[in-house]
Amino acid sequence: MKNSEKSREIKLNYLARVEGEGSFYVKIKDHEVMESQLKIFEPPRFFEGFLQGRSFREAPDITARICGICPVAYQMSSVHALEKICGYQATTTLNELRRLLYCGEWIESHALHTFMLHVPDFLGYPDAIAMAKDHKDWVEKALYLKKAGNDIVNILGGREIHPINVKVGGFYRYPHPSEFKNLKERLEKAQEIAHDAAHWMATLEFPDFEFDYEFIALRNDQEYPMNHGRIVSNKGLSIEAEVYEDRFTEQQQPYSTTLHTWLDGDKTVFTGPLARFNHNFEQLSSSARSLAEDIGLVPVCKNPFKSLLVRMIEIFYACEEALRLLDQYEYPGEIKDQVEPKSGIGRAATEAPRGILFHRYQIDEKGIIQNARIVAPTSHNQHVIEEDLRRLVIQFEDLSDELLTERCEQAVRNYDPCISCSTHFLKVKIERE
Amino acid sequence: MNVNSNILIIGIGNEWCGDDAFGIYAVKKLQKKYTDLAQFLMISGDLSQLLSLWEHKEKVIIVDAAHSLTNSAGHVYEFDSYHELLSHESVFYSSHSFGVAEVLRMAATIGREPRFLKLIGVEGSNWQKGQQISEAVKVAFSRVERIVLHYLQDVPTSTTRKTYQ
């Protein structure tokens, strides 16, 4: 780190608690940001290439391997896109089971991120292990919550990591209701923990930092979105996934191996829990809305640091929703139906824990994948993260280099970026001239 | 067939990153040879769930690749205690890579350590994406197998570290 009267350089060589490998660089001169770059240098992973020439039936299992924390999202976007091509209509039971599986993933992913990755920032701990010495009770509760999510994924997905029970057209095996027997009690307790945790987290100090973002999320008339909905924004966007590629484009940046996604060529978008919450508050259950209001969280929330609170609301809601879905689950028995392939192109977007995940596939009449395109939530958020950091270093310029660097890391974690999903960790360097 | 559910053998690694795959490779082989000896688990992602998965297990064995920069590929490390691992200063974790050392540190902090734990590490040399496990690392399997079988017969309680070359 170095400082002079007009220039300042802050360098952080390793930003922990984000996924993947990258760095951040910002150059400040005379109180203006001259450059800000989120540099991603993790090698590309070529999953779209792996998919070419494989059977469409393999897509849910191959794409699940892209991410160890949100495999369900990859499975869901792939099956929806492929079923559109084949003209397959999911039954109500299937749609509800897919929603239940998504609830499991939201619970486990959000529980890990909020308690283990993000809360230590707000409490001034270097990591969750240091935090656990003073807040053992909350860490225990976080593990309980996470286990509730894992249990759903385990029962319905076949195993906790990289589930294997999802197929185009449904599930390979439908669980008997008796398999869910112990889950209800765990989810009820998990919902209570999420309620208490939301109140606790609301007492944390949130930086005064707001911006007029273009929030993008799915929205539909029936439910808080997971698997279905139009892609909407607060600035006029309302499209089906079919025309996503007409509006969203990806561009290579010379300093990054991740493609940056833009709306209409040059518009920066914000996806993830905060965007979902702002667009779909009315679709939450009355108890989830009440909890949000009780902790002072109402739409439109423009402070990205409060994504922490939104994630707790979403955990609370996902527990409640999972309980509802379990209550009305009717065992369909063994289903041997198989979706038959048709040639064509299919597109779908679903709500991964980190935001919109878009998939597009082209398959031939035998179901062989000709090409595929996958746009992860972090690709959508790459540019808004860079812009937040630009704004942040100016707004908090009076902070010491050390504190400013910490604030920047915290801001990056607002987005829970999965750099490996988008290709792919973060070194932060702030240079002041 | 009755699987011994009191024992959990965990292989950790990334099958697509050269020698990092050793833990998965070794535990798959152990499972094939000794199916009912224990529960077997292969993990390539988030390890924080180990804190829950090893609850109520009598014995836990973890097999993982190691990177010391001091020993040659295929060198086998055997830890019967957390102490050396926990002495490491650095902590790096993410949604996906809450690593073995971090899980053990967290377990020790909140009192969730398994009663008996054996950690076996095998020194790797090639960590490139898309590469196979090195032959020098693969041959360490027989030593790993011997350590596992010996441990399951006679749970060591010493806190000494042994190395095999």
Side-chain angles (χ1 to χ4, degrees), chain B residues 12-140:
Chain B
I12 294 171
N14 183 332
E15 286 186 280
W16 312 102
C17 287
D19 295 339
D20 192 38
F22 181 79
I24 305 278
Y25 165 81
V27 171
K28 274 185 179 172
K29 282 191 80 166
L30 288 167
Q31 184 174 24
K32 203 170 175 183
K33 288 181 81 171
Y34 310 105
T35 308
D36 54 354
L37 187 69
Q39 284 190 337
F40 295 87
L41 184 68
M42 276 67 81
I43 299 190
S44 56
D46 164 33
L47 302 188
S48 65
Q49 58 195 297
L50 288 178
L51 295 164
S52 303
L53 292 172
W54 64 37
E55 263 186 313
H56 313 304
K57 301 294 176 195
E58 194 178 318
K59 298 177 188 175
V60 173
I61 300 173
I62 296 175
V63 184
D64 196 4
H67 186 42
S68 73
L69 295 174
T70 52
N71 286 303
S72 54
H75 188 94
V76 179
Y77 304 88
E78 187 185 351
F79 298 92
D80 295 330
S81 81
Y82 305 113
H83 301 314
E84 280 183 80
L85 277 169
L86 301 188
S87 67
H88 289 282
E89 287 298 320
S90 65
V91 172
F92 167 62
Y93 59 90
S94 73
S95 297
H96 305 230
S97 52
F98 203 100
V100 174
E102 289 74 51
V103 169
L104 293 176
R105 289 179 73 176
M106 180 63 90
T109 305
I110 62 174
R112 283 206 183 200
E113 317 93 304
R115 188 168 172 214
F116 295 110
L117 173 77
K118 170 73 82 181
L119 178 64
I120 304 167
V122 173
E123 183 80 26
S125 60
N126 174 22
W127 313 98
Q128 293 298 310
K129 286 187 166 76
Q131 300 287 307
Q132 302 284 312
I133 308 177
S134 318
E135 285 305 314
V137 173
K138 270 188 180 175
V139 298

Side-chain angles (χ1 to χ4, degrees), chain A residues 165-200:
Chain A
N165 193 29
V166 172
K167 69 173 187 176
V168 179
F171 291 90
Y172 288 101
R173 188 186 76 86
Y174 287 81
H176 190 273
S178 61
E179 295 176 60
F180 292 122
K181 192 177 152 192
N182 298 326
L183 191 54
K184 288 185 181 178
E185 193 180 333
R186 179 171 281 276
L187 282 166
E188 283 165 1
K189 187 171 173 188
Q191 197 184 353
E192 284 174 26
I193 291 172
H195 177 275
D196 295 348
H199 279 279
W200 172 56

